[in-house]
Amino acid sequence: MEFKKENLLTVYTSYKDDTATTEETIEYRAMGLYKIAEFLNDYFNGKYNEKIFQMRCEWCRVQLDKPFFDKLTEASKCQDQEQRLKIMQELHVYVEDFLIAFCEEYFKQVDKKNQKWLIYAAHFLHFRMESEKLDKFFYITGMLKKE
């Protein structure tokens, strides 16, 4: 699964609003990233039974992008827990990369509320995130100064 920067504002929703401004799309993405990070965090903390996992997978369909949803669909159909865990770990890395690239492009453009959601998203991911990626995120958001 390969992350592409052009996916940052591509919206794969079934109810795509053609009248949405770029600012609205960026804000929608910020909230979506928070919700996806929350979902991954809950998954890795064992807070899902099968039914809830399937429901969240379907909800995620309209939240990020097609490569993410295709992999998530694969995970949701997977009976082998070890294989599912492997796919979910791959999704975790993908969301990290997406979050960092999104913040590089748009963090300064979103309002304080959406900046907070992005910071919370990184918080959900950071226990499993490589320290270099986390440092990069903190630097982009101004929470870490270069020495």
Side-chain angles (χ1 to χ4, degrees):
M1 195 161 92
E2 186 184 339
F3 168 73
K4 294 183 173 74
K5 273 202 172 187
E6 59 266 27
N7 289 341
L8 289 178
L9 287 183
T10 304
V11 181
Y12 290 91
T13 62
S14 55
Y15 52 86
K16 185 175 178 182
D17 182 2
D18 291 330
T19 63
T21 65
T22 302
E23 291 78 17
E24 288 169 335
T25 307
I26 290 169
E27 289 174 5
Y28 176 80
R29 274 293 199 222
M31 178 56 83
L33 281 167
Y34 165 74
K35 289 290 188 183
I36 292 294
E38 181 184 49
F39 168 56
L40 287 171
N41 184 59
D42 286 349
Y43 174 81
F44 284 112
N45 287 328
K47 293 185 181 176
Y48 282 107
N49 63 36
E50 193 60 32
K51 186 178 177 187
I52 294 173
F53 181 80
Q54 298 283 351
M55 286 166 41
R56 285 300 296 265
C57 285
E58 186 57 32
W59 181 87
C60 286
R61 177 177 196 178
V62 297
Q63 296 305 314
L64 200 54
D65 65 9
K66 192 161 180 356
F68 179 88
F69 181 65
D70 290 346
K71 274 289 186 185
L72 194 58
T73 301
E74 185 183 335
S76 72
K77 293 176 180 171
C78 196
Q79 300 302 311
D80 179 7
Q81 287 298 337
E82 196 172 307
Q83 182 64 25
R84 178 188 281 179
L85 182 62
K86 188 176 172 192
I87 294 168
M88 294 301 283
Q89 287 168 337
E90 191 179 339
L91 289 177
H92 191 284
V93 171
Y94 185 83
V95 175
E96 287 176 10
D97 292 345
F98 197 103
L99 180 67
I100 289 169
F102 184 87
C103 285
E104 280 181 318
E105 299 285 329
Y106 303 116
F107 189 79
K108 299 276 191 273
Q109 293 182 38
V110 294
D111 62 18
K112 293 285 183 207
K113 183 184 89 177
N114 282 292
Q115 285 182 357
K116 250 190 254 182
W117 291 126
L118 291 168
I119 290 166
Y120 288 151
H123 170 72
F124 282 134
L125 295 169
H126 89 268
F127 294 108
R128 307 176 71 87
M129 206 180 216
E130 293 173 13
S131 60
E132 295 82 20
K133 284 185 179 182
L134 191 60
D135 287 348
K136 183 174 186 180
F137 174 82
F138 286 147
Y139 176 70
I140 291 165
T141 59
M143 296 167 71
L144 180 70
K145 305 292 181 209
K146 286 269 190 204
E147 293 176 6

